[in-house]
Amino acid sequence: MRVLVISSIFGVFLVSDCLGAEITDIRYGESVDALRLEITASDYVSVQASFLDGPDRLVIKFPGGRISRTLPQPPRDHPLFSRVISGSESDDDSRLIVDLKQPATFTQFWEPVSYGASPKLLVDFPKPALAARAGQAPGVKSAGKSRAVLVPQGKKAAGDAAKGSEIEQLRRALAEQQRILDLQKKAFEDQQRKLKTLQNQLERIAGGAPAKQTATNPGTAQAARIKDQPPGPVKVADNRQPAMPKGPVGQAPEPEAKPKPPELPRISETVGGVLTPKGHLIMEPSLEYNYASNNRVFLDAFTFVPAIAIGLIDLREIDRHTFIGAITGRYGVTDRLEISGRVPFLYREDMQRSRAVSIGAGVDETFNADGSGLGDIEFTARYQFNGGANGWPIFVGNLATTIPTGKSPYDVDYVLAQGVPGARFPTELPTGSGYVSVQPSITALYPTDPAVFYANLNYGYTLETDEDVGTIDPGDSIGASFGLGFSINERSSFSIGYSHKHVFDTEVDGESVSGSSLDIGEFLLGYSFKLTRDTSLNLSVSIGATEDAQDVKLTLRLPMSFSPFN
């Protein structure tokens, strides 16, 4: 019955979408020498792009892809783009249709991005080519436009004059195109020489030999392909790698900010890597198993020599099994602020064996108890304070609050054991703590590719609760953890660490209960595997290092990312 309940709880969580790539956004940019379309996709996909005329428009097909929402339109005063239309064909291939204000040429490539970021397809429209087609290039006053021609009387003379004017017009346009192409080639060669000079300077400063120029230059090959490209429809397929620089060659790129922490397998509720992006929702079903065993000797007697005791001596062995199925939701309010909530459901089972050796009992007294139901609901907020620039670690603040929605330990009934005088056992097991707790903490992440060092410092504050036995203060706690996360490849990573928490003495009616303090130390192991772009599998193991810690805790998480408001 227990296995069926647990399987039913976790079976609801194993849901993940396996749809094709989707187009999520489009932006309109401009560089020094080109106008740009920046198309964001959920994954790399082969594209087919072509030009149509009458009217002038660019058609980009995404085989097997889909467009997630209505895309933004270009500004009304944009020099090239007039509007963008999305649609699909009979074979379920999505396509973007970009209406142009004038004829143009283009190049396209996928921008290289770090793992976890969205791929971007960049479509560039060179400005010199636009100017040439529109008759606005330097030195061209009327290329591509009709001119007034004086013709003599008669149809034949008029036809000859018009034909001569058209031929002269084409000759001038062809000559201007060749001149522009030569200027572009010369500018490209100048940029290549500047780049080589900067590379040699860098090698000399670093103490190495000057870099050798390779026989085949990707940029030169791309320029040659553009030069030999015939006019008319242009189709490019399976173009996944970039072939042209994103900005002017020879200029050092601006340092990129680090707005988000690096990828790190989640090993606890407060230690994790990437915060949820703005507007995104992460649903994380999880299944957790805890096992703890404890052997104790209870002495209710007095001794008059070290070897002789008069009273009750109770030997007790306790085995505890706990299964927790939980659903956690995390939402990105901003790119640096995340809120989350966790709702757990518990099933607990304890087996206790006890023997009172002082009364001559010949057999063990076994007492089993279990409990199930809703656990304590937890709410958490996380805020990233900085971006980790200039060699600083990334600091993330956490604030977790636990609400006692589970069954309190103070509401459980106890009975006296028949075979062991004075021994009391619970009739059922609690599913909650019975008190409100607030835990602020600070997490530091320091990425050194491919590793990430982390550390966490936390303090737990517990509120007093009034029960039948009096006013109980469960005792505050202070803890710290540290460790290392390591990226194996683009889809998997693991982490190791250690956590230690000290819980102060419990107080009843202001009086401290002697011996109630705890020291809980655990070794932490975590592993993460990316199933799809939006779904990961996270497995963590905690092994007890102190007497007060549970023996083992095994947690399986399945975070799934959604964009419900985009």
Side-chain angles (χ1 to χ4, degrees):
M1 181 63 183
R2 181 198 322 160
V3 176
L4 179 60
V5 173
I6 297 168
S7 302
S8 300
I9 292 175
F10 191 63
V12 180
F13 301 148
L14 296 179
V15 179
S16 176
D17 58 302
C18 299
L19 301 177
E22 63 176 347
I23 308 305
T24 59
D25 195 12
I26 183 171
R27 296 186 179 183
Y28 310 92
E30 182 176 1
S31 62
V32 177
D33 55 357
L35 300 174
R36 170 171 293 179
L37 276 178
E38 184 178 294
I39 303 173
T40 304
S42 64
D43 199 357
Y44 290 104
V45 63
S46 300
V47 298
Q48 298 175 356
S50 60
F51 265 134
L52 298 177
D53 52 6
D56 296 312
R57 56 179 47 176
L58 173 67
V59 179
I60 306 176
K61 297 182 180 180
F62 299 89
R66 66 187 191 280
I67 299 174
S68 61
R69 61 187 179 90
T70 303
L71 300 176
Q73 295 295 323
R76 294 184 178 179
D77 57 349
H78 197 280
L80 181 59
F81 311 129
S82 61
R83 67 170 179 170
V84 173
I85 307 173
S86 61
S88 60
E89 297 181 340
S90 59
D91 54 359
D92 295 332
D93 292 343
S94 297
R95 61 178 179 174
L96 286 177
I97 302 175
V98 184
D99 288 345
L100 306 177
K101 297 181 179 179
Q102 58 177 303
T105 60
F106 77 98
T107 59
Q108 59 136 359
F109 55 90
W110 287 98
E111 180 184 25
V113 295
S114 59
Y115 181 71
S118 298
K120 294 181 180 179
L121 176 66
L122 304 183
V123 184
D124 284 349
F125 299 81
K127 290 182 179 179
L130 292 174
R133 288 203 170 200
Q136 299 173 357
V140 179
K141 296 182 179 180
S142 59
K145 299 181 179 180
S146 60
R147 303 175 63 188
V149 180
L150 297 177
V151 297
Q153 297 290 335
K155 294 182 179 180
K156 184 176 183 303
D160 293 342
K163 183 176 181 179
S165 174
E166 183 178 358
I167 293 175
E168 181 64 21
Q169 218 174 46
L170 291 175
R171 285 177 179 174
R172 290 187 179 183
L174 181 62
E176 182 60 26
Q177 287 281 3
Q178 184 63 43
R179 187 184 72 83
I180 294 175
L181 184 61
D182 292 339
L183 290 176
Q184 290 179 342
K185 183 178 179 181
K186 182 179 179 181
F188 184 78
E189 292 174 351
D190 291 340
Q191 295 286 359
Q192 287 292 106
R193 285 194 295 271
K194 292 179 181 179
L195 177 62
K196 183 178 179 181
T197 302
L198 291 174
Q199 289 175 342
N200 291 336
Q201 291 177 357
L202 179 60
E203 293 290 341
R204 284 195 297 269
I205 294 175
K212 294 182 179 180
Q213 186 175 3
T214 57
T216 303
N217 191 307
T220 306
Q222 177 71 11
R225 286 197 296 269
I226 297 175
K227 177 180 178 181
D228 297 336
Q229 212 172 41
V234 180
K235 293 186 178 181
V236 183
D238 295 328
N239 188 8
R240 293 175 178 265
Q241 300 297 327
M244 292 291 289
K246 294 185 293 182
V249 181
Q251 296 183 6
E254 298 180 359
E256 296 184 359
K258 299 179 180 179
K260 291 187 176 299
E263 189 74 32
L264 184 68
R266 185 171 295 275
I267 57 178
S268 70
E269 296 303 321
T270 56
V271 178
V274 178
L275 294 181
T276 306
K278 179 181 179 180
H280 285 241
L281 175 66
I282 293 181
M283 300 303 297
E284 183 183 272
S286 64
L287 181 63
E288 179 180 323
Y289 168 71
N290 297 334
Y291 171 75
S293 63
N294 185 24
N295 299 326
R296 75 171 189 174
V297 177
F298 177 75
L299 178 63
D300 187 7
F302 66 91
T303 61
F304 54 92
V305 293
I308 300 177
I310 298 177
L312 174 64
I313 303 176
D314 181 16
L315 300 180
R316 186 171 300 183
E317 178 183 352
I318 305 174
D319 291 328
R320 291 193 172 106
H321 302 269
T322 304
F323 297 89
I324 304 176
I327 182 71
T328 302
R330 296 195 292 270
Y331 179 72
V333 181
T334 68
D335 286 334
R336 292 198 176 191
L337 176 61
E338 170 190 289
I339 57 176
S340 66
R342 179 174 181 267
V343 181
F345 294 88
L346 283 74
Y347 175 83
R348 297 183 56 188
E349 183 181 69
D350 284 9
M351 183 181 70
Q352 301 187 39
R353 290 190 302 169
S354 181
R355 174 181 293 190
V357 299
S358 59
I359 63 174
V363 295
D364 294 337
E365 184 73 17
T366 303
F367 195 94
N368 295 335
D370 57 25
S372 61
L374 177 67
D376 291 346
I377 297 178
E378 180 179 325
F379 298 97
T380 306
R382 301 179 182 89
Y383 182 77
Q384 180 185 336
F385 294 105
N386 66 327
N390 300 323
W392 278 84
I394 299 171
F395 291 100
V396 179
N398 314 283
L399 181 63
T401 303
T402 302
I403 309 299
T405 52
K407 190 174 184 63
S408 173
Y410 310 107
D411 297 333
V412 173
D413 296 329
Y414 287 80
V415 297
L416 295 175
Q418 296 179 359
V420 184
R424 300 173 69 247
F425 295 95
T427 58
E428 62 176 325
L429 299 179
T431 60
S433 61
Y435 55 84
V436 177
S437 66
V438 179
Q439 179 177 294
S441 65
I442 183 74
T443 301
L445 301 166
Y446 190 80
T448 56
D449 191 32
V452 179
F453 294 92
Y454 71 87
N456 176 267
L457 183 64
N458 60 79
Y459 183 87
Y461 174 74
T462 58
L463 277 67
E464 295 181 348
T465 176
D466 293 327
E467 304 296 338
D468 295 337
V469 296
T471 301
I472 299 176
D473 183 357
D476 297 344
S477 65
I478 186 170
S481 61
F482 60 90
L484 167 70
F486 189 85
S487 176
I488 302 175
N489 51 44
E490 292 184 351
R491 300 185 66 182
S492 58
S493 58
F494 74 91
S495 64
I496 56 176
Y498 178 77
S499 172
H500 196 96
K501 177 182 290 187
H502 176 78
V503 182
F504 298 98
D505 288 339
T506 299
E507 295 182 358
V508 179
D509 292 332
E511 296 293 332
S512 177
V513 178
S514 178
S516 59
S517 62
L518 301 174
D519 278 285
I520 303 172
E522 298 174 310
F523 293 105
L524 308 173
L525 299 174
Y527 176 76
S528 177
F529 182 78
K530 207 168 190 64
L531 299 175
T532 65
R533 179 181 176 273
D534 299 323
T535 305
S536 299
L537 183 66
N538 196 313
L539 177 67
S540 62
V541 180
S542 172
I543 302 174
T546 60
E547 290 292 335
D548 297 325
Q550 55 196 357
D551 294 345
V552 64
K553 178 173 70 173
L554 184 65
T555 305
L556 182 67
R557 298 180 176 91
L558 191 69
M560 298 175 288
S561 177
F562 302 92
S563 303
F565 305 112
N566 290 340

